[in-house]
């Protein structure tokens, strides 16, 4: 069964440069049988959170450093007139 799927994917052009690229575009086989449920990634939400949180923290640190650099070199200095709360 694995060999028939593999050869079908090769014929469809999903085997390029020695790398097997899995692409699933249908839910049934050509004979009409329903394909099995795809594999689920365990801890999917945890991996998303593990990628997003460090990205946000690194991005915030970079932007803070750039803002400090701009202010030190007087390329961008916020005006004091905008701070009127009265």
């Amino acid at each position: 069964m694995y060999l028939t799927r593999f050869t079908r994917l090769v014929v469809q052009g999903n085997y390029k440069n020695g790398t097997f690229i899995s692409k699933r575009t249908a839910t049934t086989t050509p004979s009409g049988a329903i394909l099995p449920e795809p594999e689920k990634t365990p801890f999917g939400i945890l991996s998303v959170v593990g990628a997003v949180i460090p990205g946000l923290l690194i991005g915030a640190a970079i932007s803070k450093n750039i803002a400090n650099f701009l202010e030190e070199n007087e390329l961008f200095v916020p005006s004091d007139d905008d701070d009127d709360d009265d």
Side-chain angles (χ1 to χ4, degrees):
M1 171 117 177
Y2 178 75
L3 185 59
T4 58
R5 278 191 189 173
F6 183 71
T7 54
R8 189 171 12 136
L9 289 172
V10 171
V11 170
Q12 291 176 353
N14 292 331
Y15 187 78
K16 297 178 183 176
N17 298 331
T19 306
F20 178 68
I21 301 170
S22 177
K23 182 177 179 185
R24 189 169 185 172
T25 58
T27 56
T28 59
T29 62
S31 64
I34 297 174
L35 292 173
E37 187 174 340
E39 295 178 14
K40 292 186 179 180
T41 305
F43 306 111
I45 203 85
L46 185 64
S47 61
V48 169
V49 169
V52 169
I53 297 296
L56 288 174
L57 292 175
I58 291 170
I62 291 171
S63 63
K64 182 179 176 182
N65 289 336
I66 290 174
N68 285 336
F69 172 79
L70 292 174
E71 193 168 350
E72 286 175 9
N73 294 317
E74 296 183 3
L75 297 172
F76 175 75
V77 179
S79 64
D80 293 332
D81 297 337
D82 294 339
D83 294 336
D84 293 335
D85 292 331
D86 296 331

